[in-house]
Amino acid sequence: MIRESKLWSLHLLAGLCIVFLIGVHFGVMHLDEIFGFADVLSYQSVLSRGKTGFYLVVYSLLLGSAIYHGLYGLRNIIFELGFGRSLEKAVSIILLFGGIVSFIYGEYAIIVAFTL
Amino acid sequence: MEKTAKGNCLGIFGWFYAGKYQIERYAYIFHRLSGLAILLYLFMHIYVTGFRIHGREAWEGVMSKVGEPIFHLGEYMLFIAVAFHALNGIRLIFQELGLFLPKPASPVYPYKPALARVRIFFYLLMFISLVLMFIGGLDFFIFVEG
């Protein structure tokens, strides 16, 4: 069983990670004209970005951090509503399972796009 | 004891009213609401962007659907939520780590709450988030590609 303080510290760390990575993501997607990127949403652009090692790392880190930060935050919100211990345990298991499934799906898409 | 703790728990209604709230309490409410909205979007985003591995037709099909004006407006609303959540989150992390907190002062009447003494930092971060929202609005609605 991981201590709650460690999970909380990881939540903060993931939050900081997201601020940095989402800055990169927004910069590429929305400041495309300033940086001179081609149509960022075209299939060709999406494909060529996904094939670089840089985006493989950025997308994977962003995916993991965002899922963890979001679901741990949701867990805290649900716990604040004051349910019993057994229900809290069930919520933790459901969120953990949902997080793992979402991460596997997202990571699968990232890896397949990298190898296309 | 258990009964008292339950009695003090206002649940979700406590988010919106539980007495004399200061501005940080409203930030707390919006932090939760924006977080829930971003989380909902995150799962949609993971699903939608997964279409790129099914080929050009699948990708262009889904992009034509999410390219509608209502989605564009929703995307900007999401940007507002992200800008607020990120900047307020940075404030919360700083406070959690004890950074930018004022030095302890003597409790001289009229007392000034500790929160009021760090409020300037809160206003500064909220100002930055408003600037980001404004720049984002320009990008989303003014400098839109033809």
Side-chain angles (χ1 to χ4, degrees), chain A residues 30-111:
Chain A
H30 295 282
L31 301 178
D32 46 333
E33 286 179 12
I34 295 170
F35 292 124
F37 298 131
D39 181 12
V40 287
L41 284 177
S42 72
Y43 184 66
Q44 205 50 49
S45 293
V46 171
L47 213 63
S48 60
R49 269 202 309 278
K51 281 182 178 182
T52 61
F54 174 74
Y55 283 105
L56 177 78
V57 174
V58 166
Y59 287 156
S60 300
L61 278 176
L62 188 54
L63 179 73
S65 309
I67 289 175
Y68 177 77
H69 187 84
L71 290 182
Y72 185 79
L74 178 63
R75 178 175 171 266
N76 282 347
I77 290 174
I78 294 171
F79 280 16
E80 266 183 20
L81 300 177
F83 296 118
R85 280 256 176 211
S86 53
L87 206 59
E88 284 182 357
K89 204 170 179 182
V91 165
S92 297
I93 291 168
I94 291 167
L95 293 180
L96 180 67
F97 179 73
I100 289 171
V101 169
S102 308
F103 182 76
I104 289 173
Y105 177 75
E107 196 57 37
Y108 170 74
I110 291 169
I111 291 170

Side-chain angles (χ1 to χ4, degrees), chain B residues 116-130:
Chain B
R117 291 158 62 207
V118 288
R119 197 155 283 155
I120 187 74
F121 183 52
F122 172 69
Y123 287 142
L124 175 71
L125 289 173
M126 287 304 102
F127 175 73
I128 296 171
S129 78
L130 282 175

Side-chain angles (χ1 to χ4, degrees), chain A residues 8 12-13 15-16 19 22 25-26 29-33 39-44 46-47 50 59 62-63 66-67 69-71 74 76-77 80-84 98-99 102-103 105-106 108-113 116, chain B residues 6 9 11-13 15 28 31-33 35-36 38-39 42-43 45-57 59-60 63 75 78-79 82-83 85-87 90 92-93 96-97 135 139-140 143-146:
Chain A
W8 174 247
L12 301 188
L13 192 67
L16 285 176
V19 169
I22 222 157
H25 186 55
F26 276 173
M29 300 308 290
H30 295 282
L31 301 178
D32 46 333
E33 286 179 12
D39 181 12
V40 287
L41 284 177
S42 72
Y43 184 66
Q44 205 50 49
V46 171
L47 213 63
Y59 287 156
L62 188 54
L63 179 73
I67 289 175
H69 187 84
L71 290 182
L74 178 63
N76 282 347
I77 290 174
E80 266 183 20
L81 300 177
F83 296 118
S102 308
F103 182 76
Y105 177 75
Y108 170 74
I110 291 169
I111 291 170
V112 170
L116 275 176
Chain B
K6 278 271 177 204
C9 180
I12 211 158
F13 297 107
W15 289 13
Y28 159 93
H31 197 77
R32 268 152 180 69
L33 291 176
L36 290 173
I38 295 164
L39 184 63
L42 172 69
F43 290 115
H45 194 58
I46 291 171
Y47 175 70
V48 167
T49 53
F51 274 81
R52 69 190 185 279
I53 61 172
H54 301 299
R56 181 186 292 272
E57 260 181 49
W59 176 255
E60 286 174 355
M63 280 300 109
E75 214 180 356
L78 179 92
F79 179 76
V82 169
H85 196 89
L87 271 297
I90 288 172
L92 294 175
I93 290 173
E96 175 89 14
L97 301 177
I135 294 170
D139 178 64
F140 274 89
F143 301 115
V144 186
E145 283 175 59

